[in-house]
Amino acid sequence: MPASSSSSAAAAAAAWTTPLHRGGGGCCLLRVHGRFLHHQHRPRRSRCRPFVVRPLMASLLVAAAPAPVSRRTAAEEAVYEVVLRQAALVDEAAAAGRVTPPAGAPRRWANVGSWGLLGDAYDRCGEVCAEYAKTFYLGTQLMTPDRRKAVWAIYVWCRRTDELVDGPNSSYITPKALDRWEKRLEDLFEGRPYDMYDAALSDTVSKFPVDIQPFKDMIEGMRLDLWKSRYKSFDELYLYCYYVAGTVGLMTVPVMGIAPDSKASTESVYNAALALGIANQLTNILRDVGEDSRRGRIYLPLDELAEADLTEDDIFRGKVTDKWRKFMKGQIQRARLFFDEAENGVAHLDSASRWPVLASLWLYRQILDAIEANDYNNFTKRAYVGKAKKLLSLPVAYARAAVAS
Ligand SMILES: CC(C)=CCC/C(C)=C/CC/C(C)=C/CC/C(C)=C/[C@@H]1[C@@H](COP(=O)(O)OP(=O)(O)O)[C@]1(C)CC/C=C(\C)CC/C=C(\C)CCC=C(C)C
Ligand SMILES: [Mn+2]
């Protein structure tokens, strides 16, 4: 059973009774244009819940109904518990005055470091990153060497994890194989890496307050992909998106760092990071509807499809109709809400980390524009952002990141 499941069971029980304002006074919700915005005036360590695009709220927004604020869904509650734990870890490290371990502390994985192989391991991670994610690799060049290398190591682990279920050997991947991958993850967190990519990550997690839970949760998402090909509601889909993508935000914030002068709570920065992962994955899903359907998969909320008077067969037939356009407009609107929340958080990241995050956010968000430009034909036309637009985003994001505060 995944570690997150135990908390999700408790969360499920609490979900119908927990008010949005668990922290008491000190903050308030404002309703603006049908959205609830959180007005926050609490110190960094506050536990008061910041504004976050909630799955239930987002579903209702898509259905153009009024959004309730008093209830949290089971999926949201489960994810929120992880967010709180990650934020607390970063706060503890900051309170102890460190991002890296105290000087002289035993390194969990010292041998290879002293042989100089660690440098090679990180270089290989950088090469993989440069090959698979050029723009993002470019963005990491502004970061301090330690942070840049750490993000590469996380990237490579994520890419390898995804390759297990999506790569050339995916047909051989069983739940047992994923269990072994998880054991390997535990080993590397304990300072016993299996290969050089693991070694780089092992070193990274010994230097930064990175927790194992989001990594385990990503493996859980891959487990889902082995057997689940339908999502009944947005709540179910939200949890999947958290597993495979929201987790990336939680893994990387401790490395990217929070701006020392930021007044935002750690928790709200984590929520923004989570939102970016969710937004990216929702965009992935909307871009790949046709491709996924040809693999027998529908990553769209079935209840919302039914409300739009669309059936699974409509997806498999892949005909762009007015009903489909209307449905897609709602889905795109929801993804944009998550991007908006993420964008608000970027200014609170360490200044050197803002540019790559903002650039990647803008590039991904433009895929939604491309779906619109394709007249919502995501069955047979792949939405992509052209090279010119990509190149233009980089300096614009750079300028914006430089002035963000
Ligand atoms: C405050 C604030 C906004 C902080 C930002 C925090 C941050 C850096 C968040 C990163 C969000 C992000 C890039 C999420 C990745 C989402 C994603 C695309 C996940 C993909 C999953 C599965 O997709 P699928 O199989 O459906 O699609 P494909 O056809 O395979 O594409 C993933 C493929 C999971 C694996 C994820 C990666 C390989 C990306 C990992 C990226 C990093 C570690 C670097 C992130 C850093 C920057 C600067 C963006
Ligand atoms: Mn994939």
Side-chain angles (χ1 to χ4, degrees):
M1 181 190 281
S4 59
S5 302
S6 51
S7 68
S8 68
W16 292 102
T17 53
T18 320
L20 186 68
H21 276 184
R22 62 156 71 184
C27 68
C28 62
L29 277 172
L30 305 173
R31 191 173 178 158
V32 181
H33 301 308
R35 287 185 60 192
F36 289 90
L37 303 177
H38 185 268
H39 173 68
Q40 195 168 338
H41 46 87
R42 289 186 143 232
R44 167 72 67 83
R45 291 178 66 92
S46 157
R47 285 225 145 185
C48 183
R49 181 116 205 259
F51 167 70
V52 50
V53 182
R54 302 172 51 208
L56 180 60
M57 190 193 299
S59 314
L60 291 165
L61 276 169
V62 167
V69 287
S70 58
R71 287 177 183 171
R72 204 179 284 155
T73 66
E76 184 195 22
E77 186 75 27
V79 173
Y80 182 50
E81 289 307 318
V82 185
V83 168
L84 279 183
R85 238 178 300 142
Q86 307 310 305
L89 263 175
V90 166
D91 280 339
E92 272 163 32
R98 66 185 162 82
V99 172
T100 49
R107 290 280 291 279
R108 275 189 267 173
W109 191 63
N111 291 351
V112 179
S114 55
W115 300 335
L117 291 179
L118 194 52
D120 292 348
Y122 276 118
D123 286 350
R124 278 299 297 140
C125 291
E127 282 163 25
V128 173
C129 205
E131 192 171 329
Y132 286 89
K134 287 188 184 60
T135 320
F136 153 67
Y137 175 78
L138 189 68
T140 58
Q141 297 303 315
L142 264 196
M143 297 177 174
T144 60
D146 266 3
R147 286 189 173 158
R148 178 191 316 151
K149 290 189 300 183
V151 174
W152 292 343
I154 296 175
Y155 175 86
V156 168
W157 186 88
C158 292
R159 169 77 27 239
R160 292 174 97 189
T161 304
D162 183 58
E163 284 281 302
L164 291 176
V165 291
D166 272 355
N169 294 324
S170 59
S171 56
Y172 303 108
I173 296 298
T174 58
K176 270 230 162 76
L178 291 178
D179 291 347
R180 282 198 294 274
W181 186 246
E182 186 164 346
K183 173 72 176 70
R184 216 171 124 161
L185 172 75
E186 284 162 357
D187 283 349
L188 78 85
F189 263 81
E190 292 297 318
R192 293 188 302 275
Y194 187 85
D195 64 14
M196 70 192 309
Y197 299 111
D198 283 359
L201 186 58
S202 190
D203 183 63
T204 289
V205 304
S206 77
K207 285 182 173 160
F208 294 92
V210 175
D211 187 30
I212 196 168
Q213 191 61 50
F215 293 83
K216 287 186 162 211
D217 286 345
M218 181 178 275
I219 298 176
E220 189 56 26
M222 305 304 158
R223 280 196 187 97
L224 278 185
D225 263 337
L226 291 186
W227 64 270
K228 192 168 166 74
S229 59
R230 298 289 185 280
Y231 290 83
K232 276 196 245 138
S233 60
F234 183 67
D235 201 36
E236 270 194 25
L237 188 64
Y238 173 85
L239 194 57
Y240 171 73
C241 291
Y242 158 68
Y243 283 144
V244 301
T247 47
V248 181
L250 306 190
M251 292 169 192
T252 48
V253 167
V255 172
M256 304 259 175
I258 298 177
D261 55 346
S262 165
K263 303 275 184 298
S265 67
T266 308
E267 186 191 325
S268 69
V269 179
Y270 268 96
N271 271 323
L274 168 69
L276 182 53
I278 305 273
N280 284 346
Q281 188 60 18
L282 289 176
T283 303
N284 246 351
I285 286 172
L286 297 178
R287 182 195 58 195
D288 297 342
V289 169
E291 196 182 310
D292 287 334
S293 73
R294 286 185 282 282
R295 297 191 303 154
R297 297 172 173 274
I298 301 179
Y299 292 100
L300 296 166
L302 294 183
D303 59 351
E304 291 176 18
L305 271 178
E307 262 169 52
D309 197 23
L310 289 160
T311 61
E312 293 189 13
D313 270 354
D314 289 324
I315 308 286
F316 293 127
R317 269 196 293 271
K319 192 159 181 290
V320 180
T321 58
D322 280 347
K323 275 194 258 178
W324 178 250
R325 289 188 186 93
K326 189 167 172 225
F327 172 78
M328 277 302 298
K329 280 181 193 169
Q331 302 297 314
I332 289 176
Q333 185 195 359
R334 171 159 53 207
R336 285 192 174 128
L337 284 182
F338 282 99
F339 277 122
D340 291 348
E341 192 196 353
E343 194 166 12
N344 289 335
V346 175
H348 301 289
L349 289 175
D350 185 84
S351 55
S353 303
R354 286 176 206 151
W355 177 44
V357 173
L358 203 56
S360 81
L361 186 155
W362 285 0
L363 289 177
Y364 241 84
R365 187 163 55 190
Q366 288 181 72
I367 296 176
L368 297 175
D369 305 341
I371 298 173
E372 287 170 342
N374 283 347
D375 190 29
Y376 306 98
N377 180 2
N378 42 6
F379 298 116
T380 55
K381 268 188 171 172
R382 187 173 167 92
Y384 72 96
V385 181
K387 244 197 179 134
K389 275 192 180 160
K390 266 192 185 168
L391 284 175
L392 188 67
S393 291
L394 290 174
V396 180
Y398 183 80
R400 170 77 84 81
V403 295
S405 62

